[in-house]
Amino acid sequence: MNSKDLFERSKKVSPGGVHSPVRSFASVGGTPVFFQKAEGAKLFDVEGKEYIDYCQSFGPLLFGHRHPDIAGVVRETVETAWSFGACEPYSLELAEFITSKIPWVEKIRFVNSGTEAVMSALRVARASTGRNKILKFDGCYHGHLDALLVKAGSGLAGLSSSDSAGIGIEMIQNTLVLPLDDESSLEALFQKEGEQIAVVVIEPLPANYGLLIQRKEFLQKISMLAKNYGALVLFDEVISGFRVGFQGMAGELGIEPDLVCYGKILGGGFPVGAYAGKAKYMDLVAPSGPVYQAGTLSANPFGMRAGLASLKKAWNENPYKTLEEDCRYFTGELASLLDRYTGLKWQAICHGSLFWFKEFSETPVRNLTQIPKGHKENFARLFHTLLKEGIYLAPSGYEVGFLSTVHTKEILNETLNKAESGLKKEYSK
Ligand SMILES: *Cc1c(COP(=O)(O)O)cnc(C)c1O
């Protein structure tokens, strides 16, 4: 069994050979690695080669692969029940745990993905305000729901164009798009259409097109304008929730959203999403209110129990400060190696345990248009250099990397040594 053969077979039975596009290596070239096993910080491919994993399933694995504390409850779940489609105590415990720790989460509804969470939260916002328009920002990803697969058309909101085929214009005609980091566009748009906007949706830490760290003032401005015009604010914390800190970016910034979405870490590696917020909004959801939303496998015991084990562990052990320090150390050292060997000057952008490498720029990169030219190609070469040495990054220059608690100093230093030997070989050619 090898990756090349498996990929050829996969292409015959699934579009592009994958079940989510970025996995295909389309952005970096070459054949995707097929993995068979994982443990801690390590991945093992079908040919038995070992990799140090900085993708971590795109974020859900705060404690690495198959952490014993989480594996334990997963085994118990196998012995008790896989799914009821009925009431059970596990989702209650997880809901109580989260609502007791995050003040702006008074009520929460579990779903099966981040996409589903955002889609449902928008429905609540529209029902609550009786308005139709949604404002989003270019450079934020919110899953693949129709209404948010849009990009700014001519750079002006109101002229949005779809980011995907198969989305009727009627699905996006109420979606307004603005650039990140731009208060004056925001003010102008609110002046013009503020009273028709149901909700402003934003990743408070945009981490799906690189890591575009926003100024606190920009997020405060959104919050203030929304309030003045009667629009809601939805923080999409699917990637940042329980990752930058237990309370996510909202907690870090001290900005309370009206609605919030979680996913990724929330399910401890199982498919779980959630939308949540103040009771007055969440009580609009069926069966207590008129907003319909349902799910056959919602609040599945695997996700609920693995999620609770992960969140309890995060709350009790509070690994965030150490993760951030380790992330700064690791990315700083790696950036110096890149500078030394690649003939380019690099920059490591870090927030908590999320990181992103790009070519150095004098001014901070806070929106899409500021990402340096040639980034995709520079990253692709780096990606394959590291992959050869057994270091696995997410296979796209626009995806961030993640540290988990199993990336010990030894693992980080092992990575740096491997990276150096790979860089020496590749870039001295
Ligand atoms: C990953 C992600 C989503 C989508 O979640 P899925 O579980 O992949 O549907 C939505 N928003 C943000 C910010 C994400 O990072």
Side-chain angles (χ1 to χ4, degrees):
M1 212 170 23
N2 67 61
S3 295
K4 241 192 163 71
D5 294 346
L6 292 173
F7 192 48
E8 288 313 311
R9 275 168 58 194
S10 291
K11 282 192 282 193
K12 293 195 182 119
V13 290
S14 293
V18 292
H19 300 278
S20 195
V22 72
R23 297 180 194 175
S24 71
F25 277 32
S27 179
V28 291
T31 306
V33 182
F34 278 62
F35 296 106
Q36 192 163 41
K37 237 174 51 173
E39 181 163 8
K42 299 275 173 83
L43 295 171
F44 303 88
D45 74 12
V46 291
E47 292 161 66
K49 183 176 166 181
E50 182 182 312
Y51 303 79
I52 303 173
D53 180 18
Y54 291 92
C55 176
Q56 294 288 324
S57 193
F58 291 97
L61 307 172
L62 184 61
F63 300 101
H65 293 276
R66 294 170 50 233
H67 192 286
D69 295 348
I70 297 158
V73 303
V74 173
R75 267 183 222 109
E76 278 173 39
T77 305
V78 172
E79 300 302 326
T80 37
W82 295 356
S83 190
F84 302 103
C87 293
E88 32 62 47
Y90 310 112
S91 57
L92 169 63
E93 281 175 50
L94 182 56
E96 283 181 343
F97 191 74
I98 296 170
T99 54
S100 70
K101 306 281 183 276
I102 305 182
W104 49 97
V105 176
E106 289 175 359
K107 289 200 171 175
I108 186 164
R109 170 63 65 85
F110 296 114
V111 293
N112 296 313
S113 69
T115 298
E116 214 186 322
V118 176
M119 183 183 78
S120 310
L122 296 185
R123 200 176 289 155
V124 170
R126 283 177 163 148
S128 166
T129 57
R131 302 172 181 183
N132 264 332
K133 292 197 175 173
I134 289 160
L135 170 59
K136 70 151 276 181
F137 298 90
D138 225 4
C140 288
Y141 176 68
H142 302 290
H144 63 89
L145 56 152
D146 286 358
L148 294 184
L149 278 183
V150 292
K151 53 182 172 244
S154 63
L156 282 172
L159 293 171
S160 326
S161 65
S162 163
D163 239 353
S164 161
I167 294 176
I169 185 74
E170 68 283 0
M171 300 305 293
I172 57 167
Q173 66 194 3
N174 287 312
T175 308
L176 309 167
V177 186
L178 283 179
L180 286 161
D181 189 43
D182 182 351
E183 278 99 324
S184 52
S185 300
L186 195 62
E187 269 177 1
L189 181 72
F190 265 96
Q191 258 167 33
K192 197 164 141 246
E193 310 191 62
E195 268 142 34
Q196 298 164 52
I197 297 176
V199 60
V200 186
V201 52
I202 187 165
E203 282 181 82
L205 178 68
N208 280 284
Y209 291 88
L211 191 55
L212 307 172
I213 299 171
Q214 299 300 295
R215 289 171 298 112
K216 183 174 177 178
E217 295 73 30
F218 178 64
L219 293 158
Q220 282 169 329
K221 189 82 181 183
I222 291 174
S223 181
M224 197 197 78
L225 282 168
K227 203 173 176 154
N228 290 348
Y229 283 86
L232 305 191
V233 174
L234 165 58
F235 273 4
D236 179 352
E237 298 233 43
V238 170
I239 207 163
S240 52
F242 315 107
R243 165 63 63 183
V244 299
F246 193 90
Q247 296 185 330
M249 285 304 289
E252 184 178 313
L253 297 163
I255 301 176
E256 291 203 0
D258 299 300
L259 292 166
V260 58
C261 289
Y262 300 113
K264 300 198 167 103
I265 289 176
L266 175 64
F270 289 84
V272 180
Y275 61 109
K278 290 270 149 66
K280 66 175 170 185
Y281 304 122
M282 294 306 292
D283 280 337
L284 292 169
V285 178
S288 61
V291 177
Y292 191 69
Q293 184 273 310
T296 303
L297 290 171
S298 285
N300 185 270
F302 282 104
M304 295 297 103
R305 297 178 77 171
L308 183 62
S310 301
L311 296 200
K312 276 193 166 157
K313 198 169 161 61
W315 179 263
N316 293 333
E317 296 175 10
N318 196 9
Y320 298 109
K321 192 159 174 286
T322 310
L323 277 169
E324 164 137 43
E325 284 164 7
D326 288 350
C327 194
R328 283 198 188 280
Y329 161 76
F330 170 66
T331 57
E333 293 293 308
L334 186 52
S336 327
L337 291 176
L338 298 182
D339 289 349
R340 191 174 322 150
Y341 293 104
T342 64
L344 283 176
K345 191 160 166 49
W346 291 78
Q347 192 172 17
I349 316 260
C350 231
H351 195 99
S353 51
L354 299 104
F355 65 84
W356 182 49
F357 282 94
K358 62 167 194 66
E359 206 183 327
F360 180 83
S361 27
E362 286 297 337
T363 48
V365 169
R366 298 196 182 105
N367 76 39
L368 274 188
T369 61
Q370 295 161 336
I371 297 175
K373 300 270 167 298
H375 173 68
K376 187 178 163 197
E377 294 71 25
N378 292 337
F379 178 82
R381 188 172 180 194
L382 173 62
F383 172 85
H384 282 289
T385 305
L386 298 180
L387 188 69
K388 267 187 213 133
E389 301 302 313
I391 301 164
Y392 189 72
L393 300 176
S396 160
Y398 299 93
E399 300 288 349
V400 295
F402 299 92
L403 245 66
S404 76
T405 57
V406 289
H407 292 99
T408 56
K409 268 269 155 51
E410 294 74 57
I411 296 262
L412 297 177
N413 288 331
E414 180 188 338
T415 309
L416 293 169
N417 289 335
K418 287 179 166 165
E420 180 159 21
S421 74
L423 291 164
K424 246 185 222 165
K425 280 181 256 170
E426 166 67 22
Y427 289 86
S428 59
K429 284 195 285 207

